[in-house]
Amino acid sequence: MADGTATGGRAAQLQHTGMRHGWTTGACATAATTAAYTALLSGDFPDPVGITLPKGQTPAFALAAERLDEDGNGDGRAAMAAIVKDAGDDPDVTHGALIRATVRLLPPGSGVVFRAGPGVGTVTRPGLPLAVGEPAINPVPRQMMRDHVAEVAARHGGTGDVEIEVSVDHGEEIARSTWNPRLGILGGISILGTTGIVVPYSCSAWIDSIRRGVDVARAAGRTHVAGCTGSTSEKVAVAVHGLPEDALLDMGDFAGAVLKYIRRHPVDRLTVAGGFAKLSKLAAGHLDLHSARSQVNKAFLAELARHGGGDDALAAAVTGANTGLEALRLCEAAGVPLGDLVAVTARDEALAVLRGAPVAVDVICIDRAGVIVGRAAPKGP
């Protein structure tokens, strides 16, 4: 709307919640690059430095650090600018990270060359949108930096031939809290972002990681992958199937994201492994298993118990159970295999989402201690 009030989409959500959006590592690296290259050509660092994002927004960033190195003739040949990443109200592990860009002039015709500095990872496995050996600076941030280098060159009479080294203070430590080590991105974090904007509490980063995990597994020739709700179920999947690390998908609560992406990019077999309560939500038709967006349906579990031979008294007890695990224990005591019934129903729900894709699905349900309480054998379309 003309008064700046959003009527729908993410902008409306932000206005409704009062949360602040933030900036991606790619946007911060672009701003740092712009400031550093401007200083190389003009001798002065713009502060704040403005950039244009892919959808037209024009944020400005304050510089946290700057350095201009000069040769004996007094002509700047390398410049560094740094920006503190502000992720807004998103619980992003890179919030507060110092993103540095060091820009060096190259001979005419060299183009723009990207380097991974300290704290930025290097790709070591295929299946990502970057070649093995490349710095983990994703395609959209690379294009943003190229575009801004060209603009600065046009404004200040440069050739646009530069080396851009992006580094992140403590990036290797931060990366331990990301998917990077499992995806084969070693040495630090990735420089990411397709819009330049971080939406608070967005699921997009996790879902994107799931997709990249599938890509890496397929590129490595894996025909069997496991979507796991957590580290305990992951250990069980490894123990049962002997899967390598790059065949494991940290599904979390996003069962739908795994199934929909594998529907488009199939593998021969998918194991879904997770806690009994979470997988009972999948069995009931929920694709988002987070407690804020779906709940364990005790009436549904009671109906499954009936199908498994339970009587009215057991069904009533299950309906009144405090937790899904309590419902499971009640059925176990009565000799009703509720765990297996949930696993089989969850498997069939997964197959329904896969819509005939050539993928066989099996399911493993565990309790909090990692004990298997339900299994569904592989079944395909």
Side-chain angles (χ1 to χ4, degrees), residues 270-297:
L270 168 67
T271 294
V272 176
F276 169 81
K278 282 191 181 293
L279 294 191
S280 77
K281 298 178 186 181
L282 175 60
H286 296 288
L287 299 182
D288 185 336
L289 311 182
H290 194 280
S291 59
R293 296 178 287 274
S294 61
Q295 300 295 320
V296 174
N297 186 334

Side-chain angles (χ1 to χ4, degrees), residues 45 128 179 216 231 316 350:
F45 288 89
L128 297 169
W179 268 56
V216 167
S231 59

Side-chain angles (χ1 to χ4, degrees), residues 137-231:
I137 303 171
N138 269 20
V140 171
R142 288 182 184 228
Q143 190 58 50
M144 289 170 61
M145 284 183 258
R146 288 191 191 99
D147 290 345
H148 284 78
V149 162
E151 291 174 7
V152 172
R155 190 179 311 124
H156 296 284
T159 67
D161 300 288
V162 295
E163 176 190 275
I164 304 171
E165 178 184 296
V166 182
S167 59
V168 179
D169 289 19
H170 310 294
E172 191 164 5
E173 179 182 343
I174 296 169
R176 297 191 190 108
S177 299
T178 74
W179 268 56
N180 278 13
R182 176 165 296 169
L183 295 177
I185 299 172
L186 304 182
I189 69 167
S190 300
I191 304 301
L192 303 171
T194 55
T195 66
I197 295 175
V198 175
V199 177
Y201 302 101
S202 168
C203 302
S204 60
W206 198 326
I207 290 173
D208 185 64
S209 292
I210 288 171
R211 293 168 177 166
R212 298 293 77 78
V214 174
D215 293 344
V216 167
R218 282 165 49 91
R222 307 302 178 196
T223 59
H224 183 182
V225 301
C228 306
T229 59
S231 59

